[in-house]
Amino acid sequence: FLYSKDDVLDATTESATALRYLSNYFGACEMFTKVNGFIEVDLSSKDDGGGGGLSPAEIHDRVCVYWKEAVFYNDDELVLALSNIIAEHFELYYKAGFIMELQPEQLLQVVSESERLNCDSELLSKIVAQ
């Protein structure tokens, strides 16, 4: 991107967080904006192909990739945004096993900092007890 003539960002779900980190590190504002736009569209329930959009399971798979990468790169802003998505579909992430893979402080972040926690109190108590 930095050396291309047409400023096309060739991002994927797997590379976007690293590109976000690099653009922030090197102060490449245009690249940072483009990669953020890519991530937003990539996690959207809509698709560009005119179809019915992504299913919650497809979004789940992408969120899991972004989460692992955001934690690796210490991208607190992205982790917070992902926390809101996870909290909104908490039971889906629990059933898929993702919630149980979180470190205690990460679970606390998902539960406490999210504005959209959608979880039965009995299930949350069960998770905390485990």
Side-chain angles (χ1 to χ4, degrees):
F1 176 83
L2 294 175
Y3 300 107
S4 70
K5 292 180 182 178
D6 53 8
D7 290 337
V8 174
L9 180 67
D10 188 23
T12 64
T13 300
E14 292 75 18
S15 69
T17 307
L19 292 171
R20 180 180 150 90
Y21 172 81
L22 290 171
S23 63
N24 191 38
Y25 184 82
F26 289 112
C29 297
E30 185 177 346
M31 182 176 168
F32 188 79
T33 300
K34 285 189 177 192
V35 76
N36 282 337
F38 172 84
I39 292 170
E40 187 175 316
V41 169
D42 199 36
L43 292 174
S44 171
S45 61
K46 302 175 182 101
D47 69 11
D48 293 334
L54 298 173
S55 71
E58 290 170 314
I59 293 172
H60 163 269
D61 293 344
R62 292 177 183 189
V63 166
C64 292
V65 170
Y66 282 115
W67 179 273
K68 290 174 184 171
E69 292 290 303
V71 168
F72 179 80
Y73 288 105
N74 296 312
D75 191 333
D76 296 334
E77 184 179 311
L78 185 54
V79 167
L80 180 58
L82 295 168
S83 294
N84 284 321
I85 296 170
I86 294 165
E88 189 171 1
H89 304 283
F90 194 85
E91 290 189 27
L92 171 71
Y93 289 90
Y94 173 72
K95 289 176 185 175
F98 180 79
I99 297 296
M100 301 311 292
E101 294 176 10
L102 296 176
Q103 297 297 318
E105 63 275 3
Q106 294 170 334
L107 176 61
L108 178 63
Q109 181 170 11
V110 168
V111 172
S112 65
E113 292 186 23
S114 174
E115 304 162 355
R116 303 182 237 169
L117 182 62
N118 184 11
C119 177
D120 178 81
S121 61
E122 186 176 329
L123 174 61
L124 187 57
S125 296
K126 178 183 170 183
I127 292 168
V128 171
Q130 292 179 354

